[in-house]
Amino acid sequence: MSKHHLIWNESRHCIGIAAIDDQHREIIGRVNLIADAVDQVNRHEAAQEMMDDLILFACEHFALEERLMTEYGFPDLEEHIAEHLGLLQQLNNLRNALHTPSPAKAALVSAFITDWAEQHILQFDKEIGAFLTAKGMS
Ligand SMILES: [Fe+2]
Ligand SMILES: [Fe+2]
């Protein structure tokens, strides 16, 4: 396991909504695999393909969160959607940066994992979790 990995921690990362937590677990797993691939010279094409898949998966994931926020009347919907757009922009930038492999690229992916998991999930998605669980969802 490389130093770039983020370890999923149920009590730290779960927001309490099973469908969203499952997708977050999957996302962190995929980003860790990409971090491994960009670290290896002969695997940068695989890393690009995994990144394409991750972008599609992230779009599905953001759509799920946005649908639930809309359905239940989450008050900070617009701010959250803007955050998602920013994350997609970062993912696309990383995807474009993966043309050639290098330790610097691995560091970029690593920084992105931290950003997403530590900031977006813990700060923004936890708010959705608290809001939806208060509405009786799980
Ligand atoms: Fe989100
Ligand atoms: Fe999320």
Side-chain angles (χ1 to χ4, degrees):
M1 187 181 285
S2 88
K3 63 181 183 299
H4 303 296
H5 280 130
L6 184 90
I7 309 298
W8 178 266
N9 179 313
E10 290 291 314
S11 59
R12 183 168 160 77
H13 295 108
C14 278
I15 69 161
I17 306 297
I20 295 177
D21 288 331
D22 286 348
Q23 291 186 340
H24 284 160
R25 221 178 270 112
E26 171 80 22
I27 285 166
I28 297 302
R30 285 179 185 225
V31 179
N32 283 339
L33 289 175
I34 293 168
D36 281 343
V38 293
D39 248 350
Q40 296 165 31
V41 175
N42 57 348
R43 295 196 61 212
H44 71 282
E45 278 178 22
Q48 280 187 306
E49 281 170 25
M50 284 190 272
M51 187 64 94
D52 287 339
D53 289 344
L54 177 66
I55 290 169
L56 290 177
F57 191 78
C59 286
E60 276 176 43
H61 171 64
F62 294 156
L64 169 66
E65 288 187 354
E66 289 166 17
R67 183 171 61 73
L68 289 173
M69 286 189 281
T70 303
E71 219 170 279
Y72 287 82
F74 183 72
D76 298 321
L77 174 66
E78 296 304 322
E79 187 192 7
H80 203 119
I81 289 174
E83 283 291 318
H84 285 169
L85 288 174
L87 289 170
L88 277 178
Q89 187 67 53
Q90 277 180 278
L91 276 172
N92 278 309
N93 290 346
L94 279 174
R95 162 69 175 79
N96 294 334
L98 289 179
H99 290 301
T100 51
S102 78
K105 304 287 167 60
L108 261 180
V109 174
S110 165
F112 178 72
I113 297 167
T114 308
D115 236 36
W116 192 338
E118 299 300 321
Q119 290 181 28
H120 189 78
I121 296 176
L122 296 182
Q123 201 179 324
F124 290 93
D125 291 345
K126 283 239 167 168
E127 286 177 15
I128 311 179
F131 181 79
L132 293 177
T133 50
K135 300 261 180 194
M137 251 197 103
S138 60

